[in-house]
Amino acid sequence: MTQFNDTELTAAVIKSFDQTPDPRAKFLLQELVKSLHDYVRKTDLTFEEWDYAIGFLTRTGQKCTDIRQEFILLSDVLGVSMLVDAVNHRDRDGATETTVLGPFYVGEHKVTPHGTDISASLPGERMFVQSRVTDLAGKPLAGVPVDVWHADTDGHYDSQKPSYATEGPSSRARFITDADGRFTFRTILPCSYPIPTDGPVGQMITQTNRHPMRPAHVHFLVNAEGYEPLITHVFIDGDKYIDSDVVFGVKNDLIAKVEKRSDATMPDGKRSDGVWHLMTYEFRVKPGGGMAPAPLGTKVPEHA
Ligand code: BEZ
Ligand code: FE
């Protein structure tokens, strides 16, 4: 049996993965060992700290369910999700910027007619959204499914509320672009909201004196055939947390000026009562392929 000093130990563990059949898996595992060992050496990690870390990761796993993903939340608040996004989208070529998917893409995006109020049962200031999907040259793309979802004025997504089981989705729908690449819908003006703080990740945020808030936004997933799936948000300009998003997801091009209006009719000619808000945003997608992510909690059919 060979005895190792601490640098020899790192070399030995790296070497132990030498026979990994998949070269990419081998590279990822060996780099992971290097970074983890460097961290332990740099910090002189104590047994108590190591034990705490194991306990924290255990609690993180135990908090996960079909519709709750605490590990994604951990990745988000550590900036890892946005770093993965950055290294995979280095060259946008004029395409709309991307950002985190977040843990509330849970399915139930029913195809919905243009102009529908997707938050009809919810209180809040009313908002009309007019949008369009084009290619990089500005050519409109017809027949494109666009999933949208956002939080209510208490900062909750439909899937976080007990009513989801009985009443189904709200502030969540799928629109199909028309011949001119356009789609419209009505909803409420979303608010800034905290990420879930009832688990180990939220506790870490509180204990480290970080705030848990995300600036107000609407999520969009634009899934045009022959183009890269676009996972993004549109943020509402002027939000108090726009410069300090807890998951580091804001990009300048994704901030929309939402106009306060009092016209008696909305852009689709229908009447409105009182003040409302107008969000206008155009999405440009990049040629490519790939699959849009499956919603969290979606069961893959056995025969798939
Ligand atoms: C969200 O925007 O839905 C979200 C994203 C990352 C972490 C928590 C929430
Ligand atoms: Fe969100």
Side-chain angles (χ1 to χ4, degrees), residues 72-73 76 100-104 149 157 193 195-196 214 217 219 233 247:
I72 295 184
L73 199 58
D76 293 340
V100 285
L101 179 67
F104 302 116
W149 68 107
Y157 283 77
Y193 65 86
I195 59 161
R214 296 222 61 207
H217 58 272
H219 293 254
H233 308 355
V247 305

PDB file of all heavy atoms in Angstrom, residues 72-73 76 100-104 149 157 193 195-196 214 217 219 233 247, ligand 1:
ATOM      1  N   ILE A  72     -30.822  23.142  -8.104  1.00  0.00           N
ATOM      2  CA  ILE A  72     -30.781  24.195  -9.131  1.00  0.00           C
ATOM      3  C   ILE A  72     -30.727  25.559  -8.443  1.00  0.00           C
ATOM      4  O   ILE A  72     -29.968  26.451  -8.839  1.00  0.00           O
ATOM      5  CB  ILE A  72     -31.990  24.107 -10.095  1.00  0.00           C
ATOM      6  CG1 ILE A  72     -31.932  22.810 -10.902  1.00  0.00           C
ATOM      7  CG2 ILE A  72     -32.004  25.316 -11.050  1.00  0.00           C
ATOM      8  CD1 ILE A  72     -33.020  22.664 -11.950  1.00  0.00           C
ATOM      9  N   LEU A  73     -31.492  25.690  -7.367  1.00  0.00           N
ATOM     10  CA  LEU A  73     -31.487  26.946  -6.617  1.00  0.00           C
ATOM     11  C   LEU A  73     -30.081  27.241  -6.084  1.00  0.00           C
ATOM     12  O   LEU A  73     -29.608  28.387  -6.142  1.00  0.00           O
ATOM     13  CB  LEU A  73     -32.493  26.822  -5.464  1.00  0.00           C
ATOM     14  CG  LEU A  73     -32.990  28.107  -4.835  1.00  0.00           C
ATOM     15  CD1 LEU A  73     -33.649  29.010  -5.860  1.00  0.00           C
ATOM     16  CD2 LEU A  73     -33.979  27.787  -3.713  1.00  0.00           C
ATOM     17  N   ASP A  76     -28.026  28.413  -8.835  1.00  0.00           N
ATOM     18  CA  ASP A  76     -28.422  29.777  -9.203  1.00  0.00           C
ATOM     19  C   ASP A  76     -27.789  30.820  -8.282  1.00  0.00           C
ATOM     20  O   ASP A  76     -27.217  31.805  -8.747  1.00  0.00           O
ATOM     21  CB  ASP A  76     -29.954  29.927  -9.141  1.00  0.00           C
ATOM     22  CG  ASP A  76     -30.687  29.105 -10.193  1.00  0.00           C
ATOM     23  OD1 ASP A  76     -30.062  28.724 -11.196  1.00  0.00           O
ATOM     24  OD2 ASP A  76     -31.894  28.839 -10.005  1.00  0.00           O
ATOM     25  N   VAL A 100     -31.304  32.453 -16.821  1.00  0.00           N
ATOM     26  CA  VAL A 100     -31.637  31.174 -16.160  1.00  0.00           C
ATOM     27  C   VAL A 100     -33.069  30.716 -16.452  1.00  0.00           C
ATOM     28  O   VAL A 100     -33.975  31.539 -16.588  1.00  0.00           O
ATOM     29  CB  VAL A 100     -31.482  31.255 -14.623  1.00  0.00           C
ATOM     30  CG1 VAL A 100     -30.044  31.247 -14.198  1.00  0.00           C
ATOM     31  CG2 VAL A 100     -32.218  32.464 -14.043  1.00  0.00           C
ATOM     32  N   LEU A 101     -33.258  29.406 -16.491  1.00  0.00           N
ATOM     33  CA  LEU A 101     -34.608  28.847 -16.646  1.00  0.00           C
ATOM     34  C   LEU A 101     -35.392  29.020 -15.335  1.00  0.00           C
ATOM     35  O   LEU A 101     -36.577  29.349 -15.353  1.00  0.00           O
ATOM     36  CB  LEU A 101     -34.511  27.352 -16.991  1.00  0.00           C
ATOM     37  CG  LEU A 101     -35.827  26.601 -17.156  1.00  0.00           C
ATOM     38  CD1 LEU A 101     -36.582  27.101 -18.385  1.00  0.00           C
ATOM     39  CD2 LEU A 101     -35.600  25.106 -17.250  1.00  0.00           C
ATOM     40  N   GLY A 102     -34.703  28.825 -14.221  1.00  0.00           N
ATOM     41  CA  GLY A 102     -35.372  28.914 -12.916  1.00  0.00           C
ATOM     42  C   GLY A 102     -36.138  27.644 -12.588  1.00  0.00           C
ATOM     43  O   GLY A 102     -36.375  26.806 -13.468  1.00  0.00           O
ATOM     44  N   PRO A 103     -36.556  27.493 -11.334  1.00  0.00           N
ATOM     45  CA  PRO A 103     -37.164  26.232 -10.907  1.00  0.00           C
ATOM     46  C   PRO A 103     -38.667  26.148 -11.143  1.00  0.00           C
ATOM     47  O   PRO A 103     -39.285  25.163 -10.763  1.00  0.00           O
ATOM     48  CB  PRO A 103     -36.866  26.208  -9.402  1.00  0.00           C
ATOM     49  CG  PRO A 103     -36.743  27.632  -9.007  1.00  0.00           C
ATOM     50  CD  PRO A 103     -36.298  28.408 -10.215  1.00  0.00           C
ATOM     51  N   PHE A 104     -39.289  27.156 -11.762  1.00  0.00           N
ATOM     52  CA  PHE A 104     -40.755  27.159 -11.860  1.00  0.00           C
ATOM     53  C   PHE A 104     -41.264  26.875 -13.262  1.00  0.00           C
ATOM     54  O   PHE A 104     -42.426  27.162 -13.581  1.00  0.00           O
ATOM     55  CB  PHE A 104     -41.326  28.481 -11.318  1.00  0.00           C
ATOM     56  CG  PHE A 104     -40.934  28.721  -9.885  1.00  0.00           C
ATOM     57  CD1 PHE A 104     -40.141  29.799  -9.528  1.00  0.00           C
ATOM     58  CD2 PHE A 104     -41.327  27.840  -8.888  1.00  0.00           C
ATOM     59  CE1 PHE A 104     -39.754  30.003  -8.218  1.00  0.00           C
ATOM     60  CE2 PHE A 104     -40.938  28.025  -7.571  1.00  0.00           C
ATOM     61  CZ  PHE A 104     -40.158  29.111  -7.235  1.00  0.00           C
ATOM     62  N   TRP A 149     -44.364  32.477 -18.304  1.00  0.00           N
ATOM     63  CA  TRP A 149     -44.761  32.242 -16.900  1.00  0.00           C
ATOM     64  C   TRP A 149     -44.177  33.334 -16.029  1.00  0.00           C
ATOM     65  O   TRP A 149     -43.131  33.901 -16.325  1.00  0.00           O
ATOM     66  CB  TRP A 149     -44.390  30.838 -16.430  1.00  0.00           C
ATOM     67  CG  TRP A 149     -42.931  30.462 -16.271  1.00  0.00           C
ATOM     68  CD1 TRP A 149     -42.250  30.297 -15.099  1.00  0.00           C
ATOM     69  CD2 TRP A 149     -41.988  30.137 -17.315  1.00  0.00           C
ATOM     70  NE1 TRP A 149     -40.948  29.892 -15.347  1.00  0.00           N
ATOM     71  CE2 TRP A 149     -40.766  29.790 -16.694  1.00  0.00           C
ATOM     72  CE3 TRP A 149     -42.046  30.118 -18.712  1.00  0.00           C
ATOM     73  CZ2 TRP A 149     -39.613  29.440 -17.411  1.00  0.00           C
ATOM     74  CZ3 TRP A 149     -40.905  29.775 -19.436  1.00  0.00           C
ATOM     75  CH2 TRP A 149     -39.718  29.432 -18.788  1.00  0.00           C
ATOM     76  N   TYR A 157     -45.345  31.716  -7.675  1.00  0.00           N
ATOM     77  CA  TYR A 157     -45.766  31.085  -8.934  1.00  0.00           C
ATOM     78  C   TYR A 157     -46.958  30.186  -8.627  1.00  0.00           C
ATOM     79  O   TYR A 157     -47.097  29.697  -7.495  1.00  0.00           O
ATOM     80  CB  TYR A 157     -44.609  30.282  -9.541  1.00  0.00           C
ATOM     81  CG  TYR A 157     -43.592  31.193 -10.204  1.00  0.00           C
ATOM     82  CD1 TYR A 157     -42.683  31.911  -9.451  1.00  0.00           C
ATOM     83  CD2 TYR A 157     -43.585  31.368 -11.579  1.00  0.00           C
ATOM     84  CE1 TYR A 157     -41.778  32.777 -10.051  1.00  0.00           C
ATOM     85  CE2 TYR A 157     -42.689  32.232 -12.193  1.00  0.00           C
ATOM     86  CZ  TYR A 157     -41.789  32.928 -11.422  1.00  0.00           C
ATOM     87  OH  TYR A 157     -40.921  33.789 -12.023  1.00  0.00           O
ATOM     88  N   TYR A 193     -39.703  39.414  -6.203  1.00  0.00           N
ATOM     89  CA  TYR A 193     -40.111  38.386  -5.227  1.00  0.00           C
ATOM     90  C   TYR A 193     -38.891  37.642  -4.700  1.00  0.00           C
ATOM     91  O   TYR A 193     -37.843  37.620  -5.363  1.00  0.00           O
ATOM     92  CB  TYR A 193     -41.095  37.397  -5.885  1.00  0.00           C
ATOM     93  CG  TYR A 193     -40.487  36.582  -7.006  1.00  0.00           C
ATOM     94  CD1 TYR A 193     -39.814  35.394  -6.740  1.00  0.00           C
ATOM     95  CD2 TYR A 193     -40.594  37.004  -8.321  1.00  0.00           C
ATOM     96  CE1 TYR A 193     -39.257  34.657  -7.757  1.00  0.00           C
ATOM     97  CE2 TYR A 193     -40.036  36.274  -9.354  1.00  0.00           C
ATOM     98  CZ  TYR A 193     -39.371  35.097  -9.063  1.00  0.00           C
ATOM     99  OH  TYR A 193     -38.801  34.377 -10.080  1.00  0.00           O
ATOM    100  N   ILE A 195     -36.671  34.327  -3.720  1.00  0.00           N
ATOM    101  CA  ILE A 195     -36.551  32.902  -4.024  1.00  0.00           C
ATOM    102  C   ILE A 195     -37.019  32.138  -2.777  1.00  0.00           C
ATOM    103  O   ILE A 195     -37.071  32.719  -1.692  1.00  0.00           O
ATOM    104  CB  ILE A 195     -35.090  32.511  -4.386  1.00  0.00           C
ATOM    105  CG1 ILE A 195     -34.154  32.862  -3.225  1.00  0.00           C
ATOM    106  CG2 ILE A 195     -34.663  33.165  -5.688  1.00  0.00           C
ATOM    107  CD1 ILE A 195     -32.845  32.122  -3.286  1.00  0.00           C
ATOM    108  N   PRO A 196     -37.367  30.847  -2.890  1.00  0.00           N
ATOM    109  CA  PRO A 196     -37.841  30.133  -1.697  1.00  0.00           C
ATOM    110  C   PRO A 196     -36.797  30.169  -0.578  1.00  0.00           C
ATOM    111  O   PRO A 196     -35.632  29.862  -0.808  1.00  0.00           O
ATOM    112  CB  PRO A 196     -38.051  28.707  -2.216  1.00  0.00           C
ATOM    113  CG  PRO A 196     -38.214  28.849  -3.695  1.00  0.00           C
ATOM    114  CD  PRO A 196     -37.392  30.026  -4.108  1.00  0.00           C
ATOM    115  N   ARG A 214     -35.483  38.619  -6.380  1.00  0.00           N
ATOM    116  CA  ARG A 214     -35.300  38.698  -7.824  1.00  0.00           C
ATOM    117  C   ARG A 214     -36.088  39.904  -8.325  1.00  0.00           C
ATOM    118  O   ARG A 214     -37.226  40.117  -7.905  1.00  0.00           O
ATOM    119  CB  ARG A 214     -35.881  37.447  -8.516  1.00  0.00           C
ATOM    120  CG  ARG A 214     -35.180  36.151  -8.145  1.00  0.00           C
ATOM    121  CD  ARG A 214     -35.002  35.292  -9.379  1.00  0.00           C
ATOM    122  NE  ARG A 214     -34.199  35.983 -10.358  1.00  0.00           N
ATOM    123  CZ  ARG A 214     -34.267  35.791 -11.668  1.00  0.00           C
ATOM    124  NH1 ARG A 214     -35.122  34.941 -12.175  1.00  0.00           N
ATOM    125  NH2 ARG A 214     -33.486  36.466 -12.491  1.00  0.00           N
ATOM    126  N   HIS A 217     -40.017  40.210 -13.370  1.00  0.00           N
ATOM    127  CA  HIS A 217     -39.745  39.730 -14.726  1.00  0.00           C
ATOM    128  C   HIS A 217     -40.829  38.786 -15.195  1.00  0.00           C
ATOM    129  O   HIS A 217     -41.592  38.245 -14.384  1.00  0.00           O
ATOM    130  CB  HIS A 217     -38.390  38.994 -14.773  1.00  0.00           C
ATOM    131  CG  HIS A 217     -38.337  37.830 -13.829  1.00  0.00           C
ATOM    132  ND1 HIS A 217     -37.933  37.963 -12.519  1.00  0.00           N
ATOM    133  CD2 HIS A 217     -38.686  36.522 -13.980  1.00  0.00           C
ATOM    134  CE1 HIS A 217     -38.027  36.784 -11.914  1.00  0.00           C
ATOM    135  NE2 HIS A 217     -38.487  35.897 -12.779  1.00  0.00           N
ATOM    136  N   HIS A 219     -40.960  35.270 -17.599  1.00  0.00           N
ATOM    137  CA  HIS A 219     -40.133  34.246 -18.266  1.00  0.00           C
ATOM    138  C   HIS A 219     -40.692  33.964 -19.664  1.00  0.00           C
ATOM    139  O   HIS A 219     -41.920  33.890 -19.833  1.00  0.00           O
ATOM    140  CB  HIS A 219     -40.188  32.915 -17.512  1.00  0.00           C
ATOM    141  CG  HIS A 219     -39.557  32.942 -16.172  1.00  0.00           C
ATOM    142  ND1 HIS A 219     -38.347  32.352 -15.925  1.00  0.00           N
ATOM    143  CD2 HIS A 219     -39.966  33.466 -14.997  1.00  0.00           C
ATOM    144  CE1 HIS A 219     -38.045  32.501 -14.648  1.00  0.00           C
ATOM    145  NE2 HIS A 219     -39.016  33.181 -14.063  1.00  0.00           N
ATOM    146  N   HIS A 233     -35.728  35.939 -19.804  1.00  0.00           N
ATOM    147  CA  HIS A 233     -36.750  36.714 -19.094  1.00  0.00           C
ATOM    148  C   HIS A 233     -36.780  38.093 -19.751  1.00  0.00           C
ATOM    149  O   HIS A 233     -35.780  38.534 -20.315  1.00  0.00           O
ATOM    150  CB  HIS A 233     -36.391  37.064 -17.653  1.00  0.00           C
ATOM    151  CG  HIS A 233     -35.954  36.007 -16.715  1.00  0.00           C
ATOM    152  ND1 HIS A 233     -35.918  34.666 -16.982  1.00  0.00           N
ATOM    153  CD2 HIS A 233     -35.538  36.151 -15.422  1.00  0.00           C
ATOM    154  CE1 HIS A 233     -35.496  34.035 -15.894  1.00  0.00           C
ATOM    155  NE2 HIS A 233     -35.259  34.912 -14.947  1.00  0.00           N
ATOM    156  N   VAL A 247     -29.847  35.846  -8.199  1.00  0.00           N
ATOM    157  CA  VAL A 247     -29.283  34.783  -9.041  1.00  0.00           C
ATOM    158  C   VAL A 247     -28.445  35.345 -10.199  1.00  0.00           C
ATOM    159  O   VAL A 247     -28.064  34.601 -11.102  1.00  0.00           O
ATOM    160  CB  VAL A 247     -30.369  33.800  -9.551  1.00  0.00           C
ATOM    161  CG1 VAL A 247     -31.151  33.212  -8.390  1.00  0.00           C
ATOM    162  CG2 VAL A 247     -31.312  34.429 -10.554  1.00  0.00           C
TER     163      VAL A 247
HETATM  164  C1  BEZ B   1     -37.219  32.380 -11.218  1.00  0.00           C
HETATM  165  O1  BEZ B   1     -37.089  33.390 -11.820  1.00  0.00           O
HETATM  166  O2  BEZ B   1     -38.285  31.813 -11.331  1.00  0.00           O
HETATM  167  C2  BEZ B   1     -36.094  31.850 -10.374  1.00  0.00           C
HETATM  168  C3  BEZ B   1     -34.856  31.688 -10.947  1.00  0.00           C
HETATM  169  C4  BEZ B   1     -33.817  31.204 -10.174  1.00  0.00           C
HETATM  170  C5  BEZ B   1     -34.025  30.876  -8.841  1.00  0.00           C
HETATM  171  C6  BEZ B   1     -35.278  31.056  -8.278  1.00  0.00           C
HETATM  172  C7  BEZ B   1     -36.313  31.558  -9.048  1.00  0.00           C
END
